[in-house]
Amino acid sequence: MQLSALIDPLGLAPRAARAGARVQAAATETAGGMAVGAARRLGASPDVAAALESLAGSAAVERALRTLVEGTLIVRIGDRVIETALPQRVVERLLGEGIVDQVVDRFLADRTADRMLDSVLSDGLADRALDRVLTDGLADRVIERVLAAGLAERTADRLASGIVASPSTEALLARLLESVEMERLVAQVLDSRLVDVSVARVLASDELWLMVDEIARSPAVTEAISHQSAGFVDQVAGEVGVRTRRADAMLERLAHRMFHRPPLDDQPAPGTP
Amino acid sequence: MSVLARRRGRPAGLDVPVAVIAEAPAAVVPAPADCIGLITRVFAFGIDLAVINIVALLTSGLIGLLYSIVSVPDDLRAGAIVAAGTAYLVWAVGYFVTFWTTTGQTPGNRVLRIRVCASDGGRLLPRRALLRFIGLTLAALPLFAGFALILVDSRRRGLQDFIARSLVVDAREKDDAAGAPADA
């Protein structure tokens, strides 16, 4: 008798596990729907737009942003985040488990993003916020601080060494390159007039033919060609010489046998110099 | 007194090694194993004949082209034919004699890496080269029987070689040494 039959004679454990999975899926679905619905309602609400507008225009927000930018807090936080490799782990997790795909699909399917974007753009909130940021020199200060602290370089290095070199990125790239869509895209590019025109322009350029002339006249190329030609002629002549000498030896042996003469002891070894 | 000393009229006590006396490098007498057989020589001769006849054909074609625009009297036609025949003979004789007496190698010999030399290994003199050409013609007259001697002679000499006291030897070692780099 099996141990599982002793512990769970009614087979409740697998059923419980399946039920748990179904509950988890339902909960995830419900939570996602609620989140999207809330976002939709928020985006459509005029109160939210007014609140955002008043926030963007308030002096308190401006002072808080200035303090953040002029202080070293952002740089320290950025350094700390980079040192812990948190962004890399988050990106790998999001990409690896397909969470980003699911969220984006759901978000786009509900057209919530479109409605939020329409709402923001129609009220002119985005334009006003952007004007404010640009005219106050806030963007300039942010960029200067980021560049002065070397945050951009460190982020780029981390991204290059972390995300680009990660197995997930490699797998994603491999899947992309092996996909039918990519093949079709490349075929379209090759069939397009762009390639023909580019090749025609390259062939019509004087620089290309100057370069070809230079290569053809280079001592290395001419020496290689002449060496190869001479080598071939020598090889053919040498081979013919070896064969005729071999035929000489055979013919002489035959003649000596016919005339009952002793064979020459000093016959040259055929093919030997 | 040694033979060498007697020849030079020197006392025996002044004998010195031959290698020290000899200023010019003596020609090495080719060993019988270095002599070349019939088939290789026929191939080389065939290449030479091709070269001779191609040049003669091109020349005669050029002369014929010139004659086509100039009307030649019939009396001169026979003379022109004799002159052309003589020129062909001179060209063929000059071809062989020049190459045999200079490098010892005609272009055909060069391809097959063989060399014509005197029986003592030295360079063939012009007179002997001329004799060799005559011997070559004589050897071909009795259905090429003069060349059959090459098959049975210990130094692979044909009638022309007996007449001119010449040998045809392997030139592969010499060519390889000449083609090798100076520091090799």
Side-chain angles (χ1 to χ4, degrees), chain B residues 76-131:
Chain B
L76 288 180
R77 193 173 292 273
I81 292 171
V82 171
T86 309
Y88 179 79
L89 188 65
V90 169
W91 155 238
V93 172
Y95 176 92
F96 283 111
V97 169
T98 305
F99 283 119
W100 285 340
T101 55
T102 51
T103 61
Q105 286 182 303
T106 59
N109 291 357
R110 183 80 178 173
V111 169
L112 288 161
R113 296 185 179 181
I114 60 178
R115 187 169 60 86
V116 177
C117 64
S119 55
D120 60 355
R123 188 174 291 175
L124 206 63
L125 297 172
R127 185 165 51 87
R128 292 201 178 279
L130 197 60
L131 276 175

Side-chain angles (χ1 to χ4, degrees), chain B residues 123-153:
Chain B
R123 188 174 291 175
L124 206 63
L125 297 172
R127 185 165 51 87
R128 292 201 178 279
L130 197 60
L131 276 175
R132 193 170 193 273
F133 185 84
I134 293 168
L136 206 63
T137 313
L138 290 176
L141 282 179
L143 295 175
F144 302 98
F147 298 118
L149 293 172
I150 297 171
L151 294 174
V152 291
D153 182 61

Side-chain angles (χ1 to χ4, degrees), chain B residues 6-45:
Chain B
R6 276 200 301 276
R7 280 184 186 169
R8 292 174 180 269
R10 290 178 182 173
L14 295 178
D15 269 6
V16 285
V18 175
V20 176
I21 292 172
E23 291 176 357
V28 180
V29 178
D34 289 335
C35 298
I36 295 298
L38 180 63
I39 294 178
T40 306
R41 289 161 73 166
V42 167
F43 265 80
F45 191 64

Side-chain angles (χ1 to χ4, degrees), chain A residues 147-168:
Chain A
L147 289 176
L151 189 62
E153 287 86 352
R154 287 199 297 278
T155 309
D157 289 344
R158 288 280 177 165
L159 284 172
S161 61
I163 294 175
V164 174
S166 73
S168 305

